[in-house]
mmCIF file of all heavy atoms in Angstrom:
data_model
loop_
_atom_site.group_PDB
_atom_site.id
_atom_site.type_symbol
_atom_site.label_atom_id
_atom_site.label_comp_id
_atom_site.label_asym_id
_atom_site.label_seq_id
_atom_site.Cartn_x
_atom_site.Cartn_y
_atom_site.Cartn_z
ATOM 1 N N LEU A 6 -1.969 14.496 1.419
ATOM 2 C CA LEU A 6 -1.942 15.893 1.000
ATOM 3 C C LEU A 6 -2.764 16.715 1.980
ATOM 4 O O LEU A 6 -3.678 16.208 2.622
ATOM 5 C CB LEU A 6 -2.549 16.055 -0.398
ATOM 6 C CG LEU A 6 -1.736 15.672 -1.620
ATOM 7 C CD1 LEU A 6 -2.547 15.970 -2.885
ATOM 8 C CD2 LEU A 6 -0.406 16.399 -1.668
ATOM 9 N N GLY A 7 -2.455 18.001 2.050
ATOM 10 C CA GLY A 7 -3.218 18.898 2.915
ATOM 11 C C GLY A 7 -2.394 20.128 3.214
ATOM 12 O O GLY A 7 -1.167 20.086 3.190
ATOM 13 N N ALA A 8 -3.077 21.204 3.505
ATOM 14 C CA ALA A 8 -2.387 22.461 3.816
ATOM 15 C C ALA A 8 -1.604 22.336 5.125
ATOM 16 O O ALA A 8 -1.857 21.425 5.919
ATOM 17 C CB ALA A 8 -3.417 23.586 3.936
ATOM 18 N N PRO A 9 -0.643 23.243 5.369
ATOM 19 C CA PRO A 9 0.045 23.246 6.652
ATOM 20 C C PRO A 9 -0.978 23.338 7.784
ATOM 21 O O PRO A 9 -1.879 24.176 7.736
ATOM 22 C CB PRO A 9 0.904 24.523 6.600
ATOM 23 C CG PRO A 9 1.068 24.813 5.149
ATOM 24 C CD PRO A 9 -0.188 24.346 4.486
ATOM 25 N N GLY A 10 -0.875 22.461 8.780
ATOM 26 C CA GLY A 10 -1.816 22.477 9.889
ATOM 27 C C GLY A 10 -3.057 21.637 9.680
ATOM 28 O O GLY A 10 -3.943 21.595 10.526
ATOM 29 N N ALA A 11 -3.126 20.934 8.540
ATOM 30 C CA ALA A 11 -4.310 20.115 8.250
ATOM 31 C C ALA A 11 -4.353 18.838 9.086
ATOM 32 O O ALA A 11 -5.367 18.146 9.105
ATOM 33 C CB ALA A 11 -4.348 19.762 6.755
ATOM 34 N N GLY A 12 -3.239 18.512 9.747
ATOM 35 C CA GLY A 12 -3.214 17.324 10.592
ATOM 36 C C GLY A 12 -2.563 16.127 9.943
ATOM 37 O O GLY A 12 -2.758 14.989 10.377
ATOM 38 N N LYS A 13 -1.752 16.375 8.914
ATOM 39 C CA LYS A 13 -1.113 15.256 8.196
ATOM 40 C C LYS A 13 -0.220 14.425 9.120
ATOM 41 O O LYS A 13 -0.260 13.197 9.088
ATOM 42 C CB LYS A 13 -0.285 15.782 7.010
ATOM 43 C CG LYS A 13 -1.101 16.450 5.923
ATOM 44 C CD LYS A 13 -0.264 16.784 4.698
ATOM 45 C CE LYS A 13 0.855 17.761 4.973
ATOM 46 N NZ LYS A 13 0.373 19.100 5.416
ATOM 47 N N GLY A 14 0.594 15.111 9.934
ATOM 48 C CA GLY A 14 1.521 14.384 10.809
ATOM 49 C C GLY A 14 0.811 13.495 11.810
ATOM 50 O O GLY A 14 1.188 12.344 12.027
ATOM 51 N N THR A 15 -0.256 14.035 12.399
ATOM 52 C CA THR A 15 -1.041 13.277 13.386
ATOM 53 C C THR A 15 -1.656 12.038 12.754
ATOM 54 O O THR A 15 -1.592 10.930 13.298
ATOM 55 C CB THR A 15 -2.157 14.178 13.964
ATOM 56 O OG1 THR A 15 -1.556 15.319 14.572
ATOM 57 C CG2 THR A 15 -2.985 13.441 15.001
ATOM 58 N N GLN A 16 -2.277 12.234 11.582
ATOM 59 C CA GLN A 16 -2.918 11.107 10.897
ATOM 60 C C GLN A 16 -1.883 10.108 10.389
ATOM 61 O O GLN A 16 -2.089 8.890 10.441
ATOM 62 C CB GLN A 16 -3.785 11.611 9.736
ATOM 63 C CG GLN A 16 -4.951 12.487 10.162
ATOM 64 C CD GLN A 16 -5.933 11.782 11.089
ATOM 65 O OE1 GLN A 16 -6.095 10.564 11.045
ATOM 66 N NE2 GLN A 16 -6.588 12.551 11.944
ATOM 67 N N ASN A 107 -6.399 13.525 0.418
ATOM 68 C CA ASN A 107 -6.346 14.964 0.634
ATOM 69 C C ASN A 107 -7.163 15.297 1.881
ATOM 70 O O ASN A 107 -8.368 15.073 1.923
ATOM 71 C CB ASN A 107 -6.912 15.708 -0.581
ATOM 72 C CG ASN A 107 -6.953 17.209 -0.365
ATOM 73 O OD1 ASN A 107 -6.016 17.787 0.188
ATOM 74 N ND2 ASN A 107 -8.031 17.849 -0.784
ATOM 75 N N ILE A 108 -6.490 15.800 2.914
ATOM 76 C CA ILE A 108 -7.188 16.228 4.129
ATOM 77 C C ILE A 108 -7.622 17.673 3.903
ATOM 78 O O ILE A 108 -6.816 18.599 3.949
ATOM 79 C CB ILE A 108 -6.279 16.097 5.372
ATOM 80 C CG1 ILE A 108 -5.806 14.640 5.528
ATOM 81 C CG2 ILE A 108 -7.035 16.537 6.629
ATOM 82 C CD1 ILE A 108 -4.816 14.428 6.669
ATOM 83 N N ASP A 109 -8.903 17.843 3.610
ATOM 84 C CA ASP A 109 -9.438 19.138 3.194
ATOM 85 C C ASP A 109 -9.820 19.981 4.413
ATOM 86 O O ASP A 109 -10.591 19.539 5.261
ATOM 87 C CB ASP A 109 -10.670 18.907 2.309
ATOM 88 C CG ASP A 109 -11.198 20.196 1.720
ATOM 89 O OD1 ASP A 109 -10.372 21.040 1.312
ATOM 90 O OD2 ASP A 109 -12.429 20.378 1.682
ATOM 91 N N VAL A 110 -9.254 21.177 4.505
ATOM 92 C CA VAL A 110 -9.550 22.063 5.635
ATOM 93 C C VAL A 110 -9.828 23.471 5.138
ATOM 94 O O VAL A 110 -9.403 23.860 4.048
ATOM 95 C CB VAL A 110 -8.382 22.105 6.650
ATOM 96 C CG1 VAL A 110 -8.258 20.803 7.407
ATOM 97 C CG2 VAL A 110 -7.073 22.443 5.972
ATOM 98 N N ASP A 111 -10.521 24.238 5.967
ATOM 99 C CA ASP A 111 -10.802 25.639 5.690
ATOM 100 C C ASP A 111 -9.528 26.429 6.014
ATOM 101 O O ASP A 111 -9.108 26.491 7.171
ATOM 102 C CB ASP A 111 -11.966 26.085 6.578
ATOM 103 C CG ASP A 111 -12.277 27.573 6.429
ATOM 104 O OD1 ASP A 111 -11.602 28.251 5.636
ATOM 105 O OD2 ASP A 111 -13.186 28.045 7.132
ATOM 106 N N LEU A 112 -8.899 26.992 4.985
ATOM 107 C CA LEU A 112 -7.616 27.676 5.197
ATOM 108 C C LEU A 112 -7.712 28.791 6.225
ATOM 109 O O LEU A 112 -6.761 29.055 6.965
ATOM 110 C CB LEU A 112 -7.078 28.223 3.872
ATOM 111 C CG LEU A 112 -6.679 27.194 2.805
ATOM 112 C CD1 LEU A 112 -6.054 27.890 1.608
ATOM 113 C CD2 LEU A 112 -5.725 26.145 3.361
ATOM 114 N N LEU A 115 -7.049 27.697 9.799
ATOM 115 C CA LEU A 115 -5.804 26.994 10.091
ATOM 116 C C LEU A 115 -4.830 27.746 10.996
ATOM 117 O O LEU A 115 -4.026 27.131 11.669
ATOM 118 C CB LEU A 115 -5.068 26.654 8.792
ATOM 119 C CG LEU A 115 -5.597 25.449 8.024
ATOM 120 C CD1 LEU A 115 -4.777 25.249 6.777
ATOM 121 C CD2 LEU A 115 -5.566 24.203 8.884
ATOM 122 N N ARG A 118 -4.713 26.705 14.533
ATOM 123 C CA ARG A 118 -4.266 25.317 14.630
ATOM 124 C C ARG A 118 -2.740 25.240 14.509
ATOM 125 O O ARG A 118 -2.079 24.524 15.245
ATOM 126 C CB ARG A 118 -4.941 24.481 13.530
ATOM 127 C CG ARG A 118 -4.730 22.995 13.696
ATOM 128 C CD ARG A 118 -5.276 22.214 12.530
ATOM 129 N NE ARG A 118 -6.700 21.965 12.625
ATOM 130 C CZ ARG A 118 -7.343 21.094 11.846
ATOM 131 N NH1 ARG A 118 -6.679 20.423 10.929
ATOM 132 N NH2 ARG A 118 -8.630 20.912 11.971
ATOM 133 N N ILE A 119 -2.195 26.002 13.554
ATOM 134 C CA ILE A 119 -0.747 25.941 13.320
ATOM 135 C C ILE A 119 0.033 26.619 14.450
ATOM 136 O O ILE A 119 0.995 26.062 14.972
ATOM 137 C CB ILE A 119 -0.371 26.600 11.970
ATOM 138 C CG1 ILE A 119 -1.056 25.876 10.808
ATOM 139 C CG2 ILE A 119 1.139 26.580 11.771
ATOM 140 C CD1 ILE A 119 -0.868 26.561 9.464
ATOM 141 N N ARG A 122 0.611 24.703 17.660
ATOM 142 C CA ARG A 122 1.306 23.415 17.603
ATOM 143 C C ARG A 122 2.642 23.475 18.349
ATOM 144 O O ARG A 122 3.369 24.453 18.263
ATOM 145 C CB ARG A 122 1.530 23.031 16.136
ATOM 146 C CG ARG A 122 2.144 21.659 15.948
ATOM 147 C CD ARG A 122 1.877 21.128 14.553
ATOM 148 N NE ARG A 122 2.347 22.012 13.496
ATOM 149 C CZ ARG A 122 1.991 21.883 12.221
ATOM 150 N NH1 ARG A 122 1.163 20.924 11.867
ATOM 151 N NH2 ARG A 122 2.463 22.704 11.312
ATOM 152 N N LEU A 164 1.067 29.387 3.981
ATOM 153 C CA LEU A 164 -0.209 29.109 3.311
ATOM 154 C C LEU A 164 -0.188 29.626 1.863
ATOM 155 O O LEU A 164 -0.746 29.002 0.968
ATOM 156 C CB LEU A 164 -1.367 29.738 4.093
ATOM 157 C CG LEU A 164 -1.663 29.098 5.455
ATOM 158 C CD1 LEU A 164 -2.748 29.873 6.199
ATOM 159 C CD2 LEU A 164 -2.085 27.637 5.307
ATOM 160 N N TYR A 167 1.741 27.126 -0.098
ATOM 161 C CA TYR A 167 0.900 25.929 -0.296
ATOM 162 C C TYR A 167 -0.073 26.153 -1.457
ATOM 163 O O TYR A 167 -0.206 25.301 -2.346
ATOM 164 C CB TYR A 167 0.121 25.593 0.989
ATOM 165 C CG TYR A 167 -0.992 24.607 0.747
ATOM 166 C CD1 TYR A 167 -0.717 23.251 0.596
ATOM 167 C CD2 TYR A 167 -2.312 25.033 0.623
ATOM 168 C CE1 TYR A 167 -1.730 22.347 0.324
ATOM 169 C CE2 TYR A 167 -3.331 24.137 0.354
ATOM 170 C CZ TYR A 167 -3.038 22.795 0.207
ATOM 171 O OH TYR A 167 -4.039 21.899 -0.080
ATOM 172 N N ASP A 188 -12.824 15.145 5.107
ATOM 173 C CA ASP A 188 -13.075 16.415 5.777
ATOM 174 C C ASP A 188 -12.149 16.565 6.974
ATOM 175 O O ASP A 188 -12.307 15.883 7.988
ATOM 176 C CB ASP A 188 -14.549 16.459 6.217
ATOM 177 C CG ASP A 188 -14.894 17.746 6.970
ATOM 178 O OD1 ASP A 188 -14.021 18.647 7.038
ATOM 179 O OD2 ASP A 188 -16.026 17.838 7.484
ATOM 180 N N GLY A 189 -11.179 17.460 6.856
ATOM 181 C CA GLY A 189 -10.185 17.645 7.907
ATOM 182 C C GLY A 189 -10.633 18.541 9.043
ATOM 183 O O GLY A 189 -9.883 18.758 9.993
ATOM 184 N N MET A 190 -11.861 19.069 8.973
ATOM 185 C CA MET A 190 -12.351 19.941 10.037
ATOM 186 C C MET A 190 -13.032 19.146 11.156
ATOM 187 O O MET A 190 -13.489 19.718 12.132
ATOM 188 C CB MET A 190 -13.324 20.988 9.463
ATOM 189 C CG MET A 190 -12.709 21.887 8.403
ATOM 190 S SD MET A 190 -11.182 22.727 8.918
ATOM 191 C CE MET A 190 -11.830 23.880 10.131
ATOM 192 N N GLN A 191 -13.088 17.826 11.009
ATOM 193 C CA GLN A 191 -13.674 16.976 12.044
ATOM 194 C C GLN A 191 -12.651 16.728 13.157
ATOM 195 O O GLN A 191 -11.518 17.183 13.092
ATOM 196 C CB GLN A 191 -14.069 15.621 11.446
ATOM 197 C CG GLN A 191 -14.927 15.676 10.198
ATOM 198 C CD GLN A 191 -15.119 14.292 9.631
ATOM 199 O OE1 GLN A 191 -16.062 13.584 9.972
ATOM 200 N NE2 GLN A 191 -14.218 13.883 8.745
ATOM 201 N N ILE A 193 -9.927 14.542 15.310
ATOM 202 C CA ILE A 193 -8.828 13.686 14.852
ATOM 203 C C ILE A 193 -9.319 12.257 14.637
ATOM 204 O O ILE A 193 -9.010 11.614 13.628
ATOM 205 C CB ILE A 193 -7.664 13.715 15.866
ATOM 206 C CG1 ILE A 193 -6.977 15.087 15.834
ATOM 207 C CG2 ILE A 193 -6.644 12.616 15.585
ATOM 208 C CD1 ILE A 193 -5.969 15.315 16.953
ATOM 209 N N VAL A 196 -11.544 12.021 11.471
ATOM 210 C CA VAL A 196 -10.724 12.103 10.246
ATOM 211 C C VAL A 196 -10.054 10.745 10.002
ATOM 212 O O VAL A 196 -10.071 10.228 8.883
ATOM 213 C CB VAL A 196 -9.655 13.225 10.352
ATOM 214 C CG1 VAL A 196 -8.719 13.178 9.143
ATOM 215 C CG2 VAL A 196 -10.317 14.587 10.438
#
Side-chain angles (χ1 to χ4, degrees):
L6 283 182
K13 295 188 298 297
T15 301
Q16 296 300 332
N107 177 41
I108 302 176
D109 186 40
V110 289
D111 176 1
L112 294 185
L115 281 180
R118 190 186 277 193
I119 299 173
R122 185 159 57 194
L164 291 175
Y167 166 78
D188 178 6
M190 300 306 291
Q191 308 174 90
I193 290 170
V196 173

